[in-house]
C-alpha cells in the first residue's frame, strides 16, 4: 500500500478503520518507519485509550469531535506550549517552570495543556470535565475545581504566578 511505497511527514490515523484498526496500522508503521509523525483520531475519550495509542507510538491523540485550532496546533508541530517561563512539552507530557519539572499528575497536566491550547478561551467546568474524563466516569464535574486547585498549588510552590483565571459562572481560562 501507500505506506510501504511513500514517505509522509504526518499521518492522521482514525482508530476505527475497516479491517485492521488504526492501532494495528500504527503498530505496523512503527515497526518499519519510526520517523513519520502520527496523529491518532478517535471518538474514544478514555485516558486508557490515549495511553494505549501513545504507547503504540502515536505522537499525539485527538478526541473527535475536535476544534479545528486543536488540529492545526498539532499540524504546526506545536510540541512546546509556552506562557512566560512556563513550558509544556506535549510530546514528553511534562510541564516546567523556569526549567524545574512541576511533577504534575496526569489530570493536572491534561488541564494545563488544554487551557494553554485554548489560550484566551473560557472553558466551562463541564467542558473541561468532558475532556479530562471518559463518559463512563463516576466522578462529578466538581472534580475540575479540585484539579485546578492542586495545579495552582504546584505552580505556587514552584514560584510561578497563577496563569489560570477563574471566571465565576463561566469557567476557567489562561489569557
Amino acid at each position: 500500500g501507500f505506506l510501504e511505497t511513500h514517505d509522509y511527514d504526518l499521518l492522521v490515523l482514525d482508530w476505527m478503520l475497516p479491517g485492521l484498526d488504526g492501532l494495528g496500522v500504527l503498530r505496523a508503521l512503527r515497526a518499519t518507519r519510526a520517523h513519520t509523525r502520527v496523529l491518532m483520531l478517535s471518538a474514544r475519550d478514555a485516558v486508557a485509550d490515549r495511553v494505549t495509542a501513545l504507547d503504540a507510538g502515536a505522537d499525539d491523540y485527538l478526541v473527535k469531535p475536535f476544534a479545528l485550532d486543536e488540529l492545526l496546533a498539532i499540524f504546526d508541530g506545536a510540541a512546546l506550549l509556552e506562557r512566560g517561563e512556563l513550558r509544556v512539552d506535549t510530546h514528553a507530557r511534562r510541564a516546567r517552570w523556569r526549567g524545574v519539572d512541576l511533577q504534575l499528575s496526569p489530570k493536572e497536566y491534561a488541564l494545563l495543556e488544554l487551557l494553554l491550547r485554548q489560550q484566551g478561551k473560557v472553558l466551562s467546568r463541564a467542558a473541561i470535565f468532558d475532556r479530562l474524563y471518559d463518559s463512563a466516569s463516576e466522578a462529578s464535574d466538581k472534580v475540575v475545581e479540585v484539579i485546578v486547585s492542586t495545579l495552582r498549588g504546584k505552580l505556587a510552590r514552584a514560584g510561578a504566578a497563577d496563569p489560570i483565571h477563574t471566571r465565576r459562572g463561566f469557567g476557567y481560562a489562561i489569557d
Side-chain angles (χ1 to χ4, degrees), residues 10-15 26 30 36-42 57-63 66 70-72 74-75:
L10 177 70
L11 179 63
V12 178
L13 259 183
D14 196 309
W15 190 301
L26 173 62
R30 283 298 176 240
T36 303
R37 287 186 64 223
V38 176
L39 166 62
M40 180 70 81
L41 297 179
S42 180
D59 294 293
D60 221 321
Y61 188 97
L62 205 49
V63 177
F66 52 84
E70 284 181 278
L71 181 63
L72 293 176
I74 291 168
F75 270 102

Side-chain angles (χ1 to χ4, degrees), residues 17-100:
L17 294 173
L20 186 63
D21 68 8
L23 203 58
V25 172
L26 173 62
R27 287 183 172 129
L29 178 74
R30 283 298 176 240
T32 60
R33 276 199 183 90
H35 64 276
T36 303
R37 287 186 64 223
V38 176
L39 166 62
M40 180 70 81
L41 297 179
S42 180
R44 297 170 177 240
D45 61 355
V47 172
D49 291 324
R50 293 177 200 217
V51 169
T52 299
L54 294 169
D55 283 349
D59 294 293
D60 221 321
Y61 188 97
L62 205 49
V63 177
K64 299 185 294 185
F66 52 84
L68 183 60
D69 57 351
E70 284 181 278
L71 181 63
L72 293 176
I74 291 168
F75 270 102
D76 287 343
L80 190 64
L81 302 173
E82 298 178 88
R83 187 179 183 280
E85 296 185 71
L86 179 62
R87 309 250 188 294
V88 174
D89 180 338
T90 63
H91 289 176
R93 306 265 187 257
R94 180 171 289 131
R96 297 178 186 273
W97 171 257
R98 294 183 175 162
V100 176

Side-chain angles (χ1 to χ4, degrees), residues 146-165:
V146 175
I147 299 167
V148 169
S149 177
T150 59
L151 175 57
R152 282 177 164 155
K154 288 182 180 180
L155 286 163
R157 281 193 296 283
D162 182 6
I164 303 168
H165 302 288

